[in-house]
Amino acid sequence: MSQPQPIDVPQPVGQVPEAGEKPQDVHGKSQGQLVRQRFFGNTGAVVSLVVLLFIVVLSVTSLGVVPVPGWWKWSPDATGTVLDGGRPTLSLLPPGLGEHPFGQDNLGRDLFAMAMQGTQYSLVVMIVVGVVAGLVGTVVGGLSGYFRGWTEAVLMRLTDVIIIIPLVILAALLGRLAITWVRSHGLPTFATVVALGLLVGLASWPPLGRLVRGEFLTLREREFVDAARLAGASSGRIIFKHILPNTVGVITVNITLLMSSAILLETALSYLGLGIQAPDWSLGRLISENQTAFATRPWLFWWPGVFIVAIALTINFIGDGLRDAFDPRQRKFNPRRAREIGSGRDEHASDAATTATASSSGGAAGTPAADGGGVR
């Protein structure tokens, strides 16, 4: 009785990863290391991060932070003689700032100093809104998604009540109340800015809360959560050790989007006269005060707009990079990488075809010899 012949199993030929990462790039690395690697591999996100840090450093160091003075000699409220019609003295060739790099208004105030103060206040509002909206949205969404029942009913009805009110109207009302209360108690300007950011953040969290709730609803049914529950883990440990780390990507990306929206919302409120008011300056108030001079002295309108657009765009690009870093499946199509993968597959396919042809030729050449041996 003949023995069963072994079946030749075809071996995989040089498999190429479908994603943009090679196996050796991800082997032995933690989740945090992979996220950093993917983020710093995103050129747009890294350039945006550098630009944003430059804007932050420029605004903080130029005017300083109490009690540390800045290096710029003019203050936002200092008036003086209007030089050369208030035109900007910024020069690229040869590089130099001059006396008033961004120009002057009709009272001789330095626009660079006013723009830097407005940038500082806008950045503070952005950070406070991101922190407050992120915390409230995560807590409300996490509790409603994990515990369900009456907890979800109460918190989601509260979310629905807030989310149906237009954000601009709600933020304008809360911002006006904050500014009135702070000034009635004689608190400094910084307290006004923080209070404005705090109440705008309290009006901006519902979209994040709904997203976090959806993530918790999905994750609470996963096997690793059931295993932790069967092992005796408490609800707090399951939330903070098992579910919340898996929602960090969604939370981080949406917080960056909220911060970008906060910049535009603060600008709109100040433009309407419902945000930061005189004698303090914000980027929105600068545009509002100088909109009539757009045709005659457009630099008074350009520079605040440039900083608003730059901050909003950099935050959006950073959020896009964080999204790709936390979830590489959502990466944009890369034609160069696709060509590399395609050429690699073609090479491996041709090698496999050559190997198969050589094997079949060898087998065909050996057949007559075996037959001839049988005849003899």
Side-chain angles (χ1 to χ4, degrees), residues 22-215:
K22 298 178 181 179
Q24 59 268 25
D25 295 336
V26 301
H27 180 69
K29 293 184 178 180
S30 64
Q31 180 67 20
Q33 291 174 328
L34 290 176
V35 169
R36 286 194 299 270
Q37 174 181 310
R38 293 165 186 159
F39 179 81
F40 287 106
N42 189 319
T43 305
V46 173
V47 172
S48 299
L49 181 61
V50 172
V51 172
L52 181 61
L53 290 177
F54 172 76
I55 293 174
V56 173
V57 172
L58 179 65
S59 63
V60 171
T61 59
S62 59
L63 297 184
V65 179
V66 178
V68 180
W71 51 266
W72 189 240
K73 57 185 176 181
W74 300 107
S75 62
D77 55 352
T79 59
T81 304
V82 179
L83 304 176
D84 192 23
R87 289 182 175 82
T89 59
L90 180 66
S91 175
L92 298 179
L93 292 173
L97 294 178
E99 193 72 11
H100 301 284
F102 289 179
Q104 296 173 279
D105 64 0
N106 55 355
L107 298 179
R109 291 175 295 194
D110 183 63
L111 183 61
F112 178 79
M114 293 188 288
M116 292 301 101
Q117 186 182 70
T119 302
Q120 283 187 5
Y121 290 163
S122 296
L123 290 173
V124 170
V125 170
M126 178 188 74
I127 294 172
V128 174
V129 168
V131 172
V132 173
L135 287 176
V136 177
T138 302
V139 170
V140 172
L143 292 178
S144 60
Y146 181 79
F147 290 106
R148 303 296 301 272
W150 65 268
T151 304
E152 180 185 22
V154 172
L155 293 178
M156 285 298 101
R157 297 300 77 76
L158 174 64
T159 304
D160 293 338
V161 169
I162 296 176
I163 207 170
I164 62 174
I165 303 174
L167 182 58
V168 174
I169 297 176
L170 185 59
L173 176 62
L174 296 178
R176 171 62 70 181
L177 293 176
I179 293 174
T180 302
W181 184 86
V182 169
R183 293 193 171 181
S184 65
H185 288 75
L187 298 177
T189 301
F190 186 76
T192 304
V193 178
V194 173
L196 178 62
L198 178 65
L199 293 183
V200 171
L202 291 176
S204 305
W205 62 265
L208 177 61
R210 295 172 69 93
L211 288 172
V212 174
R213 170 182 170 270
E215 290 293 317

Side-chain angles (χ1 to χ4, degrees), residues 272-295:
L272 296 174
L274 301 172
I276 298 172
Q277 300 175 0
D280 303 309
W281 292 99
S282 71
L283 296 177
R285 181 168 175 253
L286 280 173
I287 293 177
S288 177
E289 293 287 335
N290 299 312
Q291 61 179 339
T292 57
F294 180 75

Side-chain angles (χ1 to χ4, degrees), residues 166-359:
L167 182 58
V168 174
I169 297 176
L170 185 59
L173 176 62
L174 296 178
R176 171 62 70 181
L177 293 176
I179 293 174
T180 302
W181 184 86
V182 169
R183 293 193 171 181
S184 65
H185 288 75
L187 298 177
T189 301
F190 186 76
T192 304
V193 178
V194 173
L196 178 62
L198 178 65
L199 293 183
V200 171
L202 291 176
S204 305
W205 62 265
L208 177 61
R210 295 172 69 93
L211 288 172
V212 174
R213 170 182 170 270
E215 290 293 317
F216 268 69
L217 286 174
T218 302
L219 292 172
R220 71 188 297 270
E221 306 298 334
R222 299 286 294 273
E223 291 80 2
F224 64 90
V225 175
D226 292 336
R229 191 178 292 114
L230 291 174
S234 62
S235 296
R237 182 174 180 83
I238 292 175
I239 291 174
F240 288 103
K241 295 292 184 180
H242 299 280
I243 299 181
L244 191 59
N246 288 282
T247 61
V248 169
V250 174
I251 294 172
T252 304
V253 172
N254 284 277
I255 285 178
T256 59
L257 297 178
L258 285 175
M259 293 168 69
S260 176
S261 301
I263 285 285
L264 301 178
L265 181 59
E266 185 275 330
T267 301
L269 294 179
S270 298
Y271 180 82
L272 296 174
L274 301 172
I276 298 172
Q277 300 175 0
D280 303 309
W281 292 99
S282 71
L283 296 177
R285 181 168 175 253
L286 280 173
I287 293 177
S288 177
E289 293 287 335
N290 299 312
Q291 61 179 339
T292 57
F294 180 75
T296 57
R297 291 177 294 171
W299 57 86
L300 298 176
F301 191 88
W302 285 348
W303 289 110
V306 166
F307 279 95
I308 291 171
V309 172
I311 295 173
L313 282 180
T314 53
I315 292 294
N316 279 329
F317 278 117
I318 291 172
D320 189 57
L322 289 173
R323 182 200 62 191
D324 293 344
F326 281 105
D327 189 0
R329 294 173 299 175
Q330 297 186 15
R331 285 188 172 185
K332 296 178 181 178
F333 177 72
N334 189 338
R336 181 178 178 182
R337 181 60 183 166
R339 286 194 296 269
E340 292 177 358
I341 294 175
S343 62
R345 283 178 175 169
D346 292 340
E347 292 176 0
H348 292 304
S350 62
D351 293 342
T354 303
T355 304
T357 303
S359 300

